Amino acid sequence: MGGYMQTYNPPLTKIDKEETRRYAGLKGAVAFPEQLLDTACAEALLLARPRAVWNIYPYEPATGTIAAPAPLRLAGDRVRGHLTGVGEAAVLAITIGPALEEEVSRLFAAGEYTAGLLLDAAGTAAVEQAADAADAFIADQAARRGLKAKSRFSPGYGDWAITDQPAMVALADGGHISLTVTPSCMLVPRKSVTAVIGLAPAGEKNGRGCAGCPQTDCIARRELSQ
């Protein structure tokens, strides 16, 4: 297996208001007008254009290397540990496109800081929801092949160096969804994500979602029931 591009347009029917509140730093805030959050989520839903693209490559756990035609040795102990027991790796790129962040820039330029901040937070919620949907799609495809998909892990999580971002975009064929990387390794459009999803033989110990991710201090980590 490996190296043929697959695509998916994750459906978004609603933007998660509670996640938007959290990304906006409003969790625990009292008496904040709910209408402003509702408006930001509704506008984000109109502006987001989710698109995902990925390739699946062999993975060599002993060296932590994605065995693509241009091999990538993952620059982080945590991600290599997370992929223990994996035989294949899906390298994924997702974006919601540039329209939302262009509107955020317009709002800030117009001095509408609260609206801009809330729309930016709703955009983060949107791209995470799109990533969740693409992740689930890949997991379903893997299950049909008798494989288990591990939680996605992105450059910048834990000790995985962000400098792997350009290689991740290239391995995912990110150009197909107009995704690029700046010299400082920032994704453009900004509301985009790259990630690796390990595909392990059925029976391999696995945890999906935030419960299965070793990055316990991640800003996007959802609260888990005890």
Side-chain angles (χ1 to χ4, degrees):
M1 169 64 61
Y4 74 91
M5 186 182 71
Q6 301 177 69
T7 62
Y8 177 57
N9 294 337
L12 281 183
T13 58
K14 182 180 181 181
I15 306 299
D16 189 318
K17 187 166 78 170
E18 293 311 309
E19 287 296 281
T20 298
R21 187 195 310 276
R22 189 165 67 92
Y23 288 124
L26 294 171
K27 191 172 182 180
V30 295
F32 187 84
E34 292 294 309
Q35 177 62 33
L36 295 180
L37 279 164
D38 290 335
T39 298
C41 290
E43 190 167 8
L45 190 60
L46 289 173
L47 294 170
R49 295 290 181 271
R51 301 171 70 198
V53 62
W54 66 96
N55 281 293
I56 297 176
Y57 300 100
Y59 180 74
E60 299 172 354
T63 59
T65 301
I66 297 173
L72 172 63
R73 187 175 189 276
L74 300 176
D77 290 337
R78 279 194 181 183
V79 64
R80 291 196 295 269
H82 182 62
L83 296 179
T84 298
V86 160
E88 297 177 9
V91 182
L92 170 69
I94 311 108
T95 185
I96 61 167
L100 185 144
E101 61 197 59
E102 290 170 357
E103 177 62 9
V104 169
S105 296
R106 188 195 69 77
L107 289 168
F108 276 105
E112 299 180 46
Y113 302 116
T114 300
L117 184 149
L118 292 177
L119 183 58
D120 187 79
T124 301
V127 74
E128 288 296 332
Q129 286 179 234
D132 286 347
D135 189 333
F137 187 86
I138 291 170
D140 183 64
Q141 283 193 326
R144 295 170 190 267
R145 297 171 51 221
L147 299 174
K148 275 192 170 182
K150 293 200 170 190
S151 301
R152 68 178 182 273
F153 208 104
S154 295
Y157 285 7
D159 62 350
W160 189 3
I162 198 75
T163 50
D164 273 353
Q165 198 72 278
M168 289 290 289
V169 171
L171 293 183
D173 275 321
H176 185 76
I177 56 173
S178 302
L179 184 62
T180 60
V181 190
T182 69
S184 58
C185 299
M186 297 296 292
L187 296 174
V188 179
R190 189 166 48 83
K191 297 301 182 186
S192 304
V193 171
T194 68
V196 63
I197 299 173
L199 306 179
E204 180 72 17
K205 184 179 178 182
N206 179 41
R208 285 187 52 73
C210 292
C213 178
Q215 178 64 17
T216 56
D217 57 351
C218 173
I219 189 173
R221 190 175 182 88
R222 299 179 177 96
E223 289 186 353
L224 307 174
S225 57
Q226 301 300 312

